[in-house]
Structures are given as structure tokens and as C-alpha cells.
Amino acid sequence: MALGIEASLGDSIVTTKLDAIVNWGRQYSLWPMVFGTACCAIEFMSAAASQHDISRFGAEVVRFSPRQADLMLVCGTISYKQAPILKRIYEQMPEPKWVVAMGACASSGGIYDNYCTVQGIDTVIPVDVYISGCPPRPEAVLDALIKIQEQIRTESVLVDRHKDFKGILD
């Protein structure tokens, strides 16, 4: 039995919160942009292939223009020379946007503890989900995508997500 305004509007009208309907659309239409610099990019290709099929989760439209993407997957080692490029690409993505650090190199520098390798991309751009492994399995990529979708479901469309982030290039 419907109560309130829904009772007078009939069965053709559904009321919901703005956050719920906008986030439902966002979480099932993620457009990833792959910043692939090493072997983790090959593992992402496997996640997009037919055996693992990332399209089941609504993220099959891989974009190679940051202006058309809302999910960045950083796959591989990032050097300090590449860091400004990574930051520029991140800044060109429209809001809201999410970032996944894929693999040990993107998450923490991996085995490359030297003067030229960024020890985690979270010093350059904000990261939402980290994927461990060297290289991580395609199933881990799908798990990260599900975690991003769960994060989107709980967000508010009125809150600026990363306005207080300060990286090493700021």
C-alpha cells in the first residue's frame, strides 16, 4: 500500500533521492582510461578480454582521451619525469573521477626504490583503490572495479571529492 504523494500519482511515478539515481547511472557506466606503462597494462587487457569481460560491470568503453573518461587506471611504474604528464591527464578528466593504482609499482614504487621512480602515485594524484600484486591478476582488476562502484553508491552528488588533496607537484 503506497502512502503519501506516491498514492495519488499512481503506478507510473517512482520517487527516489537524487543521489541514488545519479549514482546508479555513474556506477554502471564507468569509462576507464588506462595509463599503462608496464606489465600491469597487459593484465588490464586480459581483464577486458572475453574470459574475464569487464563489460559485465559496465566499464567496457575504454577511452584514450582523458576528456571522455571518468576512471583512471594507472598500470605500471611511474617515473618523476612522467609524473607531471600523469597529473595533467588526471586534471583533464571531468568531475567526478576515480583513480585505481594497479600493481606494486603504481601503489608503492615496487622493486624500484631509486631516485627516478615515484614511490606511489598517491603522492601525485589522489587514489581511490589500490590493487596489490606484481602483476595483479585480472580478477583483482574486477574486484577494484566493484569497490569503485560501491564507493560511488555511497557518495553525494553535492560534495567535491578531492578538493583538499595536495601532491608533490602542487
Side-chain angles (χ1 to χ4, degrees), residues 66-147:
R67 291 176 182 90
Q68 297 175 347
D70 55 5
L71 173 65
M72 176 182 273
L73 286 111
V74 181
C75 308
T77 311
I78 303 299
S79 67
Y80 282 104
K81 196 171 188 178
Q82 292 171 318
I85 299 164
L86 175 66
K87 184 167 178 62
R88 183 179 311 131
I89 290 172
Y90 173 79
E91 289 172 347
Q92 289 175 352
M93 293 171 63
E95 290 287 346
K97 53 192 166 191
W98 298 272
V99 177
V100 174
M102 185 172 169
C105 293
S107 298
S108 65
I111 61 171
Y112 306 106
D113 188 9
N114 55 33
Y115 69 94
C116 65
T117 303
V118 174
Q119 300 299 303
I121 63 162
D122 55 357
T123 61
V124 180
I125 58 176
V127 176
D128 296 295
V129 175
Y130 297 89
I131 303 175
S132 63
C134 183
R137 299 270 310 145
E139 293 89 352
V141 177
L142 300 179
D143 184 55
L145 181 62
I146 292 169
K147 286 179 182 173

Side-chain angles (χ1 to χ4, degrees), residues 32-54:
M33 192 212 153
V34 181
F35 192 87
T37 61
C39 46
C40 289
I42 304 298
E43 292 298 319
F44 173 78
M45 291 177 209
S46 178
S50 61
Q51 183 177 3
H52 299 286
D53 196 17
I54 200 169

